[in-house]
Amino acid sequence: MKFIFVTLFPNLIKPYFEDSIMKRAIENSFFEIEFINFREYSTNKHKKVDDTPFGGGAGMVLSCDPLYNCLTDLKIKYPNSKTIFVTPVAKTFNQKDAKRLSNEKTIIFVNGRYEGFDERLIEEFADEVLAIGDYILSGGELASTVMADAIARNIDGVLGNNESLEVESFENELLEAPTFTKPKNYTKIKNSNVISEFFKGNHSIIATLKENLAQAKTKYHRPDIYKKYQVRKKYEK
């Protein structure tokens, strides 16, 4: 699999892939990354990539020509690629999207800046338009890095142990159950004994316990998700 980041600021993204899980995955050829600075496709003397918005308003808008030239080249080179425009004016990316997109061969993340894209670029090139939340960032680079990480984790072999994916948050519409490690009783925190059932080896009881803890955690932190979970369980009966 290949992630292509179309951005004015490649150095905002590169360091993330130079450590830990993502670095090892690239070294082991589970996926690769490429950076394209679309300023290089600007045809004006000063390599400008933005202009004032029609209708007035603050800020500058990314011009059509540099991105059009860049994305046209990429579509010729990668005809079966998936082009994703990263913008807050979009559907919110979630775990189902991460799993679905992990089956793609090539994903092109188009990262905006300033006041965003000329809308005609989105209409011409976008296969999908995605955001990571209801807030505004200075550009799309952080958001596309988040999405690439979430997608890459679902590529077979990236995590080493694929069973890790089965118990993570948002699987089966629940947040992940609380986890604990040694010591059983951490004396610096009052009443910190880990629930004894975790040590008794009865996997059926442990599974039920984790399910109940996951429900409680989801109900407290994400009541919106918990309601969906309740509806699904109701129809399964």
Side-chain angles (χ1 to χ4, degrees), residues 142-154:
L142 284 174
S144 63
T145 305
V146 167
M147 287 188 254
D149 182 294
I151 294 165
R153 288 170 58 84
N154 288 279

Side-chain angles (χ1 to χ4, degrees), residues 197-208:
E197 278 75 6
F198 281 117
F199 314 114
K200 294 179 180 178
N202 189 319
H203 296 294
S204 176
I205 291 176
I206 292 172
T208 300

Side-chain angles (χ1 to χ4, degrees), residues 87-127:
T87 167
V89 189
K91 169 192 177 295
T92 302
F93 174 84
N94 59 34
Q95 183 65 10
K96 289 181 179 178
D97 294 318
K99 294 174 78 170
R100 171 177 59 83
L101 291 168
S102 69
N103 295 309
E104 296 291 333
K105 285 284 188 182
T106 306
I107 295 178
I108 301 170
F109 288 109
V110 187
N111 297 282
R113 278 274 150 177
Y114 318 125
E115 293 301 310
F117 306 102
D118 186 304
E119 189 71 18
R120 292 168 292 187
L121 291 165
I122 296 175
E123 292 174 359
E124 178 70 15
F125 291 104
D127 296 307

Side-chain angles (χ1 to χ4, degrees), residues 25-237:
I26 292 171
E27 288 175 344
N28 291 317
S29 301
F30 289 115
F31 68 89
E32 59 182 301
I33 57 176
E34 182 180 352
F35 299 93
I36 307 292
N37 189 333
F38 60 91
R39 191 180 298 278
E40 297 171 6
Y41 287 83
S42 177
T43 55
N44 67 69
K45 183 172 68 173
H46 301 292
K47 292 293 182 180
K48 274 193 68 178
V49 294
D50 59 353
D51 212 328
T52 54
F54 284 133
M60 305 288 278
V61 177
L62 290 171
S63 305
C64 282
D65 209 43
L67 269 172
Y68 182 91
N69 296 337
C70 175
L71 295 175
T72 298
D73 271 4
L74 285 173
K75 279 298 186 183
I76 292 171
K77 189 175 181 181
Y78 303 101
N80 297 317
S81 59
K82 171 87 70 173
T83 301
I84 298 174
F85 276 67
V86 183
T87 167
V89 189
K91 169 192 177 295
T92 302
F93 174 84
N94 59 34
Q95 183 65 10
K96 289 181 179 178
D97 294 318
K99 294 174 78 170
R100 171 177 59 83
L101 291 168
S102 69
N103 295 309
E104 296 291 333
K105 285 284 188 182
T106 306
I107 295 178
I108 301 170
F109 288 109
V110 187
N111 297 282
R113 278 274 150 177
Y114 318 125
E115 293 301 310
F117 306 102
D118 186 304
E119 189 71 18
R120 292 168 292 187
L121 291 165
I122 296 175
E123 292 174 359
E124 178 70 15
F125 291 104
D127 296 307
E128 295 193 38
V129 185
L130 293 172
I132 60 168
D134 297 337
Y135 47 85
I136 308 299
L137 297 170
S138 299
E141 288 79 13
L142 284 174
S144 63
T145 305
V146 167
M147 287 188 254
D149 182 294
I151 294 165
R153 288 170 58 84
N154 288 279
I155 299 172
D156 189 34
V158 167
L159 291 186
N161 182 358
N162 287 339
E163 289 182 9
S164 300
L165 294 168
E166 296 174 9
V167 295
E168 290 188 319
S169 293
F170 309 111
E171 297 296 328
N172 301 316
E173 296 170 338
L174 289 175
L175 299 183
E176 186 175 351
T179 56
F180 309 92
T181 187
K182 299 173 184 176
K184 295 179 182 179
N185 178 20
Y186 185 58
T187 57
K188 293 180 181 179
I189 299 176
K190 291 181 179 179
N191 303 317
S192 68
N193 286 342
V194 177
I195 300 168
S196 62
E197 278 75 6
F198 281 117
F199 314 114
K200 294 179 180 178
N202 189 319
H203 296 294
S204 176
I205 291 176
I206 292 172
T208 300
L209 174 62
K210 286 187 174 182
E211 173 85 7
N212 291 337
L213 288 171
Q215 287 186 41
K217 199 169 187 178
T218 307
K219 185 177 181 180
Y220 182 81
H221 290 291
R222 292 293 303 272
D224 56 322
I225 295 176
Y226 184 70
K227 287 179 181 178
K228 293 179 182 178
Y229 170 78
Q230 285 183 306
V231 170
R232 180 174 65 80
K233 295 297 283 187
K234 180 181 177 182
Y235 283 102
E236 284 179 355
K237 290 181 180 179

